[in-house]
Amino acid sequence: MSMEPRRATAAEVYQSIKADILRGVFLAGERLDPRGLAEMTASSASTVHMVLGRLAVEHLLLSLPGEGFHMPFLNEAALRGTYRWMCKIAHVALDLAVEDPIDDARGSPPTIIVAKNDPDVLATEQFFACLAARTEIADVKFAMAQTNDRLHALRRLEKRLIPDGLSEIKAMSTLLAQEEHSALRSALEQYRDRRLAHVPELVRLRHRVRQ
């Protein structure tokens, strides 16, 4: 008796498609083909539709009436807004941490793990997640996690334009550990402004380069 091949679970499909989105496999504005994704993930079209809907709720995809699911369209104004929003969340997290610090977080430096693949991206996400975790307010952590996801593919492209990004993160990590809050605020703004200066190139790359 022949056995039917195992179908991937919804959780496995979600992790697979989300990983491809974060890596930059799909271009900005690109339409996602549910049938193709179902074949690629060894799942059903209904499972893929459910997963794409979830990713749309997380703002990693757009659901357009009559047009299906697309990667978010990216323009310079939108990307500038995302970088500014990231910096704003970081400032809010830092302000809250100063006003009402978590006892077990004071003086503990962020653990920056340098991975073989995408060390700059992983270290950046760890730093900003750690900064957000300095407050007990869940909304701040959630907002930072969402922003990390939205910027993941772009941070992989940033390395082409800002090769010393990992040094920036390590320096800010040291300032956070030493509670040099004023210096860290300035460093966060400089980090943001360096990326704002490269927005036109990043937008072009995101529309043209599959990663």
Side-chain angles (χ1 to χ4, degrees), residues 10-163:
E12 290 170 337
V13 175
Y14 169 80
Q15 292 296 337
S16 176
I17 296 177
K18 182 175 181 178
D20 283 346
I21 290 172
L22 296 188
R23 279 202 307 270
V25 171
F26 308 107
L27 300 178
E30 182 175 356
R31 182 181 181 277
L32 274 65
D33 174 24
R35 288 183 180 274
L37 291 172
E39 292 179 6
M40 182 184 71
T41 57
S43 61
S44 66
S46 60
T47 298
V48 168
H49 271 284
M50 180 179 66
V51 166
L52 296 181
R54 177 179 173 184
L55 292 166
V57 170
E58 296 177 10
H59 303 293
L60 292 176
L61 292 176
L62 290 177
S63 177
L64 302 176
E67 297 185 28
F69 295 94
H70 289 251
M71 288 295 296
F73 298 99
L74 185 67
N75 57 39
E76 293 182 19
L79 183 53
R80 288 190 182 95
T82 302
Y83 279 127
R84 291 187 176 111
W85 174 234
M86 175 201 66
C87 189
K88 179 65 72 175
I89 299 169
H91 277 286
V92 168
L94 187 56
D95 290 341
L96 291 169
V98 172
E99 293 171 7
D100 188 17
I102 300 174
D103 290 338
D104 61 2
R106 288 181 65 87
S108 57
T111 301
I112 301 300
I113 301 172
V114 179
K116 291 182 180 179
N117 295 324
D118 294 329
D120 304 56
V121 176
L122 179 59
T124 300
E125 292 181 349
Q126 288 176 331
F127 169 75
F128 282 106
C130 181
L131 179 54
R134 291 292 176 109
T135 172
E136 293 180 339
I137 297 177
D139 286 346
V140 175
K141 301 173 190 176
F142 179 73
M144 186 64 82
Q146 274 201 326
T147 305
N148 268 339
D149 281 352
R150 289 166 61 193
L151 286 172
H152 187 96
L154 284 153
R155 284 171 173 156
R156 298 185 71 193
L157 294 172
E158 281 177 15
K159 296 183 294 183
R160 302 183 180 204
L161 306 172
I162 308 174

